[in-house]
Amino acid sequence: MTTPTVHPHLLLAASFPPADDGPARFLGRLARHAPAGSLVVSTGAQEGADEVDEQLPSRIDRIGLSARRLRTLPGVLVWSRHAAVLARAVGAEFTWCGSLKPCGYAARWVRERAGVPFGVLMHGNEFLRLRHAIHRSRLERRTARGLLGTASVVVANSRWGADLVLAVAEELGLPLTDGQVRVVAPGADPG
């Protein structure tokens, strides 16, 4: 009997442990609880990362750039090319963006170069800033349309977050539906 081929998901994370902000903690927990072999994380280098990475069952692929550099244009270009090669090498089935920017740029590159669809893990603060930015800048509107318009799904952690994504999409003239914006509640009761 042959073992079925595992096609992991690729997670692009600009913020990942040992960073200690909310998105980093959230994405670190995803990597901690994903079944072994089901997730490959692509992120930047950080001091203390080896100790964190050893404790995770997921493969952590840290490119030779600092995590801060992933938010720069040269960093996004290097990361995008690296992520496409990584996606092909591991046979990625799907790419998850830990944030719309800068992760969405790399995910869109992977989609165009390797044919791997992507989804965005939405953070409310990011979409509140995006909503403000698209009203001030034509470039921000065009960029947001390109990223959100090519995402297969956006996952929000609350109905409020999903409604915010749908409102931003409507303001951008994108025909996102409730089926493309999903609510997955946190796995813990904050109370």
Side-chain angles (χ1 to χ4, degrees), residues 155-179:
V155 176
N157 64 5
S158 67
R159 186 69 244 169
W160 174 86
D163 290 342
L164 177 60
V165 171
L166 290 168
V168 168
E170 184 177 326
E171 291 170 21
L172 291 169
L174 291 173
L176 291 184
T177 65
D178 271 334

Side-chain angles (χ1 to χ4, degrees), residues 21-182:
D21 57 23
R25 288 190 305 269
F26 170 70
L27 298 174
R29 286 184 181 100
L30 282 179
R32 179 177 314 282
H33 296 290
S38 68
L39 185 68
V40 176
V41 179
S42 178
T43 190
Q46 295 182 62
E47 189 174 321
D50 290 342
E51 296 154 13
V52 171
D53 297 352
E54 289 172 358
Q55 299 172 13
L56 299 173
S58 298
R59 173 180 169 188
I60 312 300
D61 183 81
R62 293 193 185 262
I63 67 172
L65 295 174
S66 74
R68 275 210 295 269
R69 294 259 341 259
L70 299 180
R71 298 180 188 280
T72 66
L73 181 58
V76 166
L77 293 173
V78 169
W79 191 21
S80 297
R81 288 191 295 265
H82 180 85
V85 169
L86 180 61
R88 282 190 212 98
V90 302
E93 174 180 42
F94 197 82
T95 301
W96 288 104
C97 299
S99 60
L100 184 64
K101 294 180 188 177
C103 304
Y105 300 124
R108 187 168 177 190
W109 183 281
V110 170
R111 180 180 173 271
E112 291 172 0
R113 302 308 186 282
V116 179
F118 73 94
V120 178
L121 300 170
M122 177 268 194
H123 305 286
N125 190 34
E126 180 182 25
F127 272 76
L128 286 171
R129 287 192 316 266
L130 178 63
R131 188 178 208 182
H132 182 70
I134 64 174
H135 293 286
R136 291 189 336 257
S137 165
R138 185 176 303 169
L139 178 60
E140 286 287 344
R141 278 191 302 279
R142 192 169 356 136
T143 301
R145 278 183 60 81
L147 295 176
L148 279 177
T150 53
S152 297
V153 66
V154 178
V155 176
N157 64 5
S158 67
R159 186 69 244 169
W160 174 86
D163 290 342
L164 177 60
V165 171
L166 290 168
V168 168
E170 184 177 326
E171 291 170 21
L172 291 169
L174 291 173
L176 291 184
T177 65
D178 271 334
Q180 291 171 285
V181 180
R182 306 278 174 88

